[in-house]
């Protein structure tokens, strides 16, 4: 979650933020960003754990999201320290409710010292601009420590060291972050999927945001970001088809997807959304509604909600 608060907007795990206006108070801006982080982290956790069996690559997800002062632009570091307890060392930014970290008793503001024999490095800010690198490094170290399923996490809380046994739940190798300033969500070349703050606001509710995030996760499940054949238009339609299956498996209402797409349809988009490289909104809504009908039919029979063969990763078809 980078917080370059000088950018147009603000996961609040690692994000870009809206430019403060004259009335914005740094503490209030930090709180708003944190609320976005919590929402994205919670939805993301549910999506990646509920759909782990569909994913080609998996990790152990604990529900911990790490932050550091370096991920904030300089004018907001004092507020991040005061409001969120951020430090130069990797610090627990949030804990997803109901996750293994939550059940283990890890709390926001805990400072990470070591995971097993691996010590976490501190990253004092080196410039006035925000940097995501320290967060990515700390989360990668935690993922590595949890690769075997669990680790002993050494924390500092209230100035005192404590050791907590932390387990990880099997999850898709994908993690959501609030970043960017356009009304979209995009994949990166790593584990991270960026969701813009503008899109979080546009989605209006958790089901709508889950639709956007499930669409991006669908690209990952289908191997699209690995450059596996097909036009962008075809890939978008495949992701739209898989999206409602991922949503239902994670406990979200897929009816939010066509509703959100209709709102997008009413907006005066330009560029790639109008150049023919992506399917039209009417077609996208139609394929989502078709899959929703298939899901409803399975649910009415009491069946297991598993996507059709053409939307399953290859390893599930062997």
């Amino acid at each position: 979650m980078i917080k370059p608060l000088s950018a147009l907007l603000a996961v609040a795990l690692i994000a870009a933020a809206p430019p403060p206006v004259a009335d914005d108070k740094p503490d209030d801006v930090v709180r708003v960003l944190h609320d976005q982080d919590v929402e994205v982290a919670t939805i993301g956790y549910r999506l990646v754990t509920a759909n782990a069996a569909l994913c080609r690559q998996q990790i152990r997800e604990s529900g911990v999201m790490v932050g550091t002062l370096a991920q904030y632009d300089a004018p907001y570091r004092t507020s991040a320290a005061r409001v969120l307890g951020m430090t130069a060392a990797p610090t627990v930014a949030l804990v997803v409710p109901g996750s293994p970290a939550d059940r283990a008793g890890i709390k926001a503001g805990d400072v990470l010292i070591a995971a097993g024999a691996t010590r976490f490095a501190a990253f004092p800010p080196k410039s006035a601009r925000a940097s995501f690198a320290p967060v990515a490094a700390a989360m990668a170290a935690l993922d590595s420590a949890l690769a075997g399923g669990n680790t002993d996490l050494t924390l500092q809380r209230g100035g005192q060291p404590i050791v907590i046994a932390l387990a990880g739940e099997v999850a898709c190798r994908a993690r959501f972050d609030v970043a960017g300033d356009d009304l979209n969500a995009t994949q990166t070349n790593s584990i991270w999927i960026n969701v813009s703050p503008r899109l979080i606001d546009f989605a209006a509710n958790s089901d709508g945001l889950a639709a956007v995030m499930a669409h991006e996760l669908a690209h990952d499940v289908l191997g699209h970001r690995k450059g596996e054949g097909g036009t962008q238009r075809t890939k978008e339609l495949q992701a739209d088809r898989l999206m409602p299956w991922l949503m239902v498996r994670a406990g979200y209402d897929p009816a939010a997807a066509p509703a959100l797409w209709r709102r997008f349809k009413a907006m005066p988009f330009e560029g790639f959304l109008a150049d023919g490289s992506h399917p039209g909104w009417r077609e996208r809504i139609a394929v989502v509604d078709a899959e929703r009908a298939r899901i409803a039919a399975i649910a009415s029979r009491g069946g297991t909600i598993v996507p059709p063969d053409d939307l399953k990763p290859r390893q599930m078809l062997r």
Side-chain angles (χ1 to χ4, degrees):
M1 339 153 209
I2 13 182
K3 313 296 186 191
L5 299 172
S6 58
L8 174 64
L9 294 162
V11 171
L13 300 182
I14 306 158
V21 295
D23 292 337
D24 282 343
K25 296 180 180 179
D27 285 11
D28 293 338
V29 172
V30 166
R31 289 189 183 97
V32 168
L33 298 180
H34 182 69
D35 288 345
Q36 288 188 327
D37 287 346
V38 171
E39 183 175 21
V40 168
T42 301
I43 294 172
Y45 177 84
R46 287 174 59 177
L47 286 171
V48 298
T49 54
N51 293 293
L54 302 179
C55 291
R56 305 175 184 211
Q57 293 184 296
Q58 299 173 336
I59 60 172
R60 295 282 183 160
E61 178 60 71
S62 67
V64 165
M65 285 296 177
V66 177
T68 76
L69 286 177
Q71 75 189 74
Y72 292 84
D73 278 342
Y76 294 85
R77 287 171 187 158
T78 298
S79 290
R82 177 170 53 244
V83 175
L84 304 178
M86 283 293 116
T87 72
T91 305
V92 177
L94 63 89
V95 175
V96 174
S99 67
D102 185 29
R103 296 193 296 271
I106 295 173
K107 301 181 183 299
D110 288 345
V111 177
L112 278 64
I113 305 301
T118 302
R119 295 188 66 83
F120 289 94
F123 294 91
K126 295 182 179 179
S127 76
R129 294 183 63 83
S131 172
F132 174 66
V135 175
M139 290 299 296
L142 183 58
D143 288 343
S144 179
L146 284 170
N150 55 72
T151 188
D152 287 332
L153 195 62
T154 303
L155 306 168
Q156 183 172 287
R157 179 183 299 169
Q160 298 298 317
I162 59 173
V163 178
I164 291 179
L166 178 64
E169 186 172 355
V170 178
C172 298
R173 187 183 178 276
R175 184 168 286 130
F176 293 89
D177 164 51
V178 182
D181 56 14
D182 292 325
L183 189 64
N184 64 11
T186 57
Q187 293 176 313
T188 68
N189 291 324
S190 66
I191 191 173
W192 298 96
I193 299 172
N194 295 330
V195 183
S196 78
R198 289 180 62 195
L199 187 54
I200 295 170
D201 290 338
F202 184 79
N205 56 52
S206 294
D207 288 313
L209 185 54
V212 172
M213 294 169 63
H215 175 90
E216 294 305 319
L217 180 60
H219 280 302
D220 189 77
V221 172
L222 293 163
H224 291 165
R225 69 175 174 180
K226 298 175 179 64
E228 295 186 0
T231 65
Q232 186 62 40
R233 185 177 180 282
T234 299
K235 291 176 181 179
E236 291 300 321
L237 288 175
Q238 287 178 329
D240 279 341
R241 289 184 58 209
L242 182 55
M243 168 181 52
W245 297 89
L246 302 183
M247 291 180 69
V248 170
R249 289 166 61 92
Y252 292 102
D253 183 1
L260 188 66
W261 268 209
R262 289 186 180 94
R263 291 176 59 205
F264 273 119
K265 184 176 181 293
M267 297 184 69
F269 282 114
E270 298 179 357
F272 73 90
L273 289 168
D275 65 5
S277 64
H278 285 58
W281 294 115
R282 182 176 299 178
E283 186 176 12
R284 302 184 76 164
I285 291 168
V287 299
V288 172
D289 282 341
E291 298 304 324
R292 288 175 56 217
R294 296 175 74 170
I295 294 169
I298 293 173
S300 70
R301 301 192 300 267
T304 302
I305 306 302
V306 179
D309 285 353
D310 64 330
L311 296 178
K312 292 177 183 175
R314 292 195 186 114
Q315 80 269 18
M316 292 189 67
L317 302 177
R318 292 172 184 163

